[in-house]
Amino acid sequence: MHSTAPHPLDDPGASPFGIAQKAAEQLAERTGVDRHDIALTLGSGWGRAADLLGETTASIPAVDIVGFSAPALAGHAGTLRSVLLPNGARALIIGARTHYYEGHGVRRVVHSVRTAAAAGARTMILTNGAGGIRDTWTPGTPVLISDHINLTADSPLEGATFVDLTDLYTRRLRDIARTVDPSLDEGVYCQFRGPHYETPAEVQYAKAIGGHIVGMSTALEAIAAREAGMELLGMSLITNLAAGIQTTPLSHEEVLDAGKAAEARLGDLLARIVSAL
């Protein structure tokens, strides 16, 4: 049974950073790991990586940690996993993403990132399944995110908080990823509000302003990661061509199918990238 108690992040007077710190303390207690070095949010199609990165020493329901909610979307595990990497570092695998379109507010969208930072992570990897604007990207293609355009008209920053986003998706990490797979292309990610898919006209608008990838996550989380001083690597799985580029109707089933088909290959790729960081 779900609790009817108010969500702590819904209190405008509460400190989202204080709640993230409490979540990190609970995470350390439940996993037995005092500090995680790297954190990964695994979106649609990327879940297999959690099994390939290293030895999972703890896996807990995200809802057991303060501030987290059960995932509303099929394809997300709903767990937080502590993984011992082959090099001895610790990875926190976040399988519980709160999407902006769920209507819970930006604090809850970025809580996982702030918790990862409070847990000690200095590197954040954000992955997603998304629509491609370039018609040369076939479904199943992984693409590095070089920059983003935030079309939500919202931000996780509160008050007079000014954060430089010049090198938001860290070039150093993208360069490392390309040493693992030189064929990796990159593009600018546009986060729309969702949950409806973009219209063909909106896709053309995104293209006109410099976008190459369209989706409903990641940008707000990326801003919070940079606010926390983390280095950031973003990757999209192109699950379909965007509306008007693709001639057939879009569906979430198509996204899940493309993700499942590419999962093993993406998991191996991401595991090799993490080992190279």
Side-chain angles (χ1 to χ4, degrees), residues 21-268:
Q21 182 60 47
K22 183 177 180 181
E25 292 167 0
Q26 292 178 349
L27 186 67
E29 181 180 354
R30 290 291 303 272
T31 63
V33 177
D34 291 336
R35 177 186 177 88
H36 288 83
D37 304 289
I38 184 172
L40 302 91
T41 296
L42 300 182
S44 299
W46 296 92
R48 175 65 175 154
D51 299 323
L52 300 175
L53 288 173
E55 177 191 357
T56 296
T57 59
S59 181
I60 59 178
V63 292
D64 289 354
I65 303 298
V66 65
F68 283 85
S69 307
L73 186 63
H76 293 265
T79 59
L80 301 173
R81 294 169 63 167
S82 181
V83 175
L84 178 62
L85 301 177
N87 63 2
R90 280 281 176 176
L92 174 64
I93 309 298
I94 300 165
R97 172 177 262 157
T98 296
H99 289 80
Y100 185 75
Y101 58 70
E102 294 175 42
H104 298 310
V106 185
R107 285 183 169 190
R108 287 168 70 172
V109 170
V110 303
H111 177 63
S112 59
V113 172
R114 287 175 171 159
T115 297
R122 306 312 302 154
T123 301
M124 187 79 218
I125 298 179
L126 297 172
T127 68
N128 59 57
I133 295 178
R134 288 180 177 157
D135 57 13
T136 55
W137 289 341
T138 57
T141 300
V143 178
L144 295 169
I145 300 175
S146 60
D147 204 345
H148 79 226
I149 299 171
N150 175 12
L151 296 174
T152 68
D154 214 334
S155 172
L157 307 182
E158 300 179 22
T161 304
F162 306 108
V163 176
D164 178 27
L165 304 181
T166 302
D167 186 32
L168 179 57
Y169 297 88
T170 315
R171 179 177 295 277
R172 185 184 76 84
L173 300 186
R174 301 202 315 271
D175 289 344
I176 292 173
R178 276 190 287 263
T179 67
V180 174
D181 184 351
S183 72
L184 282 171
D185 204 350
E186 67 179 31
V188 175
Y189 180 91
C190 296
Q191 180 177 353
F192 284 82
R193 295 172 64 96
H196 51 274
Y197 290 109
E198 304 77 23
T199 67
E202 287 168 339
V203 169
Q204 290 302 312
Y205 165 70
K207 181 178 180 180
I209 62 174
H212 309 106
I213 312 160
V214 292
M216 305 174 194
S217 68
T218 303
L220 296 171
E221 295 161 301
I223 297 168
R226 177 46 50 88
E227 179 189 21
M230 304 168 87
E231 283 197 300
L232 176 65
L233 180 68
M235 297 187 73
S236 291
L237 164 66
I238 303 302
T239 56
N240 55 272
L241 294 179
I245 310 296
Q246 175 173 304
T247 57
T248 56
L250 305 182
S251 72
H252 185 55
E253 290 72 22
E254 176 184 38
V255 171
L256 293 177
D257 289 346
K260 186 174 181 179
E263 199 166 36
R265 182 167 55 86
L266 292 177
D268 176 69

